Amino acid sequence: MKKQPGTTRRPAVNAPQEVRIIGGQWKRSKLPVSDRPGLRPTPARVRETLFNWLGQDLSGLRCLDAFAGTGALGLEAASRGALEVVLVEQDPGLVHQLSATKTRLKADAVRVERGDGVAALRQRSGQGLDVVFLDPPFGDDGNEPLYQAALQAARQALRDDGLIYLEAPRAWSDDELARLGLQLHRQGKAGAVAFHLLRLLPAE
């Protein structure tokens, strides 16, 4: 997860200087963690749970990591065989770091884009992505408008049976998700972080 203009949340004390990919062809490969406000890489135990939910083999899937940061989520998907992974990040330093990691891993299925995650999703409306990863910056106020906009844009970019991964400072309720045309598939909590796997709400 990533830096966003206006975000004041600081990294946790003793934040890791690197994280590791935990599965697939690049298992144990290190990903550097820059000292950036709001940068919170998804912990290994949460990624392990997520990819148990998604499946260990993501062959043929098209994914987008909308607030890429270290790239831990998107690169984990690529390591497990995803056909295409787009890493979107605003911070130019993190974009450079992601590009260097892509080159080091020879990650041909990965594309790095500098830009706004919500805008990138809106540009892909109707393109039928298989998985969208959303781990926006929390911010001191929870950044609710950003979460709302990201979920709405992700829904429009998703295929009918696609999935959205959402990491947030609180659990989202069924009613909140239903108003966005989404429903909860799986949910977990790790420390102060709530994580969700969401599906599109079936049309009536």
Side-chain angles (χ1 to χ4, degrees):
M1 140 105 225
K2 15 327 5 211
K3 180 184 177 186
Q4 193 90 352
T7 298
T8 58
R9 186 181 182 88
R10 291 178 173 83
V13 175
N14 298 323
Q17 298 304 303
E18 62 185 29
V19 294
R20 292 177 185 263
I21 294 174
I22 58 175
Q25 64 176 318
W26 304 317
K27 185 176 181 179
R28 300 188 185 89
S29 295
K30 297 176 182 179
L31 305 177
V33 179
S34 297
D35 183 11
R36 294 287 200 280
L39 188 67
R40 287 177 306 96
T42 300
R45 60 179 173 148
V46 175
R47 280 183 282 130
E48 184 174 10
T49 299
L50 169 61
F51 285 93
N52 284 337
W53 292 346
L54 291 175
Q56 301 302 317
D57 183 359
L58 302 188
S59 295
L61 299 189
R62 297 168 61 236
C63 309
L64 187 143
D65 188 348
F67 304 89
T70 63
L73 291 170
L75 290 168
E76 193 79 55
S79 182
R80 297 164 189 262
L83 175 67
E84 175 186 312
V85 177
V86 180
L87 305 177
V88 182
E89 173 56 49
Q90 281 190 324
D91 184 294
L94 294 178
V95 170
H96 177 77
Q97 186 173 282
L98 289 168
S99 297
T101 299
K102 166 185 161 65
T103 299
R104 173 169 55 87
L105 296 175
K106 298 181 173 63
D108 294 337
V110 173
R111 186 164 76 255
V112 179
E113 292 184 4
R114 182 182 176 189
D116 175 73
V118 174
L121 286 166
R122 287 172 176 160
Q123 289 167 4
R124 288 166 172 83
S125 179
Q127 291 190 9
L129 296 173
D130 296 289
V131 183
V132 172
F133 299 105
L134 297 179
D135 182 12
F138 288 179
D140 292 336
D141 59 356
N143 243 343
E144 290 289 316
L146 177 59
Y147 276 80
Q148 293 275 350
L151 285 167
Q152 288 172 341
R155 179 185 178 278
Q156 296 299 323
L158 210 64
R159 60 183 292 171
D160 289 346
D161 59 350
L163 295 164
I164 298 170
Y165 171 74
L166 173 67
E167 197 168 313
R170 65 174 181 84
W172 281 61
S173 71
D174 291 340
D175 287 345
E176 287 177 299
L177 293 169
R179 286 194 290 271
L180 295 168
L182 299 167
Q183 62 181 342
L184 185 66
H185 179 54
R186 299 281 180 87
Q187 187 175 27
K189 195 171 192 315
V193 174
F195 53 101
H196 318 64
L197 198 59
L198 310 175
R199 292 186 181 276
L200 299 187
L201 200 63
E204 294 182 0

